[in-house]
Amino acid sequence: MSIEGATTGGATIGGVAIDWLHFTPWTALAGGALIGLAAGLFVVLNGRIAGISGLLGSVLEGGEGRAEKALFLLGLLLAPLLWGLFAELPAIEFQSGWLGLVVAGLLVGLGTRYGSGCTSGHGVCGISRLSPRSLVATLGFMASGFATVFVLRHLFGG
Amino acid sequence: MGKLTAMLAGLIFGCGLLLSGMANPAKVLGFLDLAGAWDPSLLLVMVGAIAVAAAPLAWAKRRTQSLLGAPMQLPVKRELDPRLIGGSLLFGIGWGIAGICPGPAVAILLSGHWQVILFVLAMLAGMLLFSALERRRAL
């Protein structure tokens, strides 16, 4: 997508070319802090882990605490509408066609359920409570995410 | 009360995802593309989230009840089994293909893009497939 040099400004760190044009440190940190705040509130007040794949899975399967879990997901679902009252929605750009989306969705659904979590449950909540399982899971999905993009963009892609 | 706080937490979570850039698949893929022009922003999303969530989660670990009196339900499993590792690797492949993980998928479902609707349907199908396979295993 991006042209080498034009977006990197030529600066590299450890051999990795940083995309300074798209780097948004402040909104990333502030957005992350809000995510952490929400996860903190959910565990302190409701006694639950804000892991989205786990919440989706248990709402699908039924069982304990279904209403509360569904309401967290409803809040998540309504967030862009709340956002839209105050500001324009940020950019949402997709780079895959229908087949990629279907395959990706299936893998994400299946993988997060087998792996007991995703970016939120393992990556944020799990690492925050220093869980070795979550650390291993996060390293695992990050590594395969990096590898997948490398294969699709640099081995097969143009 | 618990229902209200659950929904409020979900709303804040979603706004955080939107603000952070995690809800933009193109930005996620820019983060996962180490060999191209790398956008490290999402690393800072994790740093920001963990910095804020660490204290409340550490507090939760020492408690049996939440502030609202609900039982504290933290994961108890300890073992690093093949399911954890294999599942996480599969998830990462899917994440790398489309740049969408479960939280952002829900948070942008109502944004009016057909792509996310298709993705969420496939993701829910994958989750139902997991449940079906688990039921068969239990027989």
Side-chain angles (χ1 to χ4, degrees), chain A residues 6-86:
Chain A
T7 54
T8 62
T12 65
I13 294 175
V16 176
I18 305 287
D19 184 356
W20 296 110
L21 196 69
H22 291 108
F23 184 42
T24 48
W26 301 114
T27 48
L29 275 171
L34 279 182
I35 293 168
L37 173 69
L41 283 175
F42 201 41
V43 79
V44 165
L45 296 173
N46 294 71
R48 297 183 193 281
I49 293 289
I52 310 306
S53 58
L55 293 173
L56 279 171
S58 40
V59 168
L60 282 178
E61 287 178 4
E64 180 276 328
R66 199 179 194 180
E68 238 172 63
K69 293 172 179 176
L71 279 164
F72 181 98
L73 293 171
L74 181 67
L76 186 58
L77 188 72
L78 295 179
L81 306 183
L82 175 73
W83 180 289
L85 294 179
F86 301 100

Side-chain angles (χ1 to χ4, degrees), chain A residues 38 41 45 71-72 75, chain B residues 2-14:
Chain A
L41 283 175
L45 296 173
L71 279 164
F72 181 98
Chain B
K3 293 193 169 111
L4 191 71
T5 57
M7 192 168 156
L8 182 70
L11 270 172
I12 297 173
F13 199 99

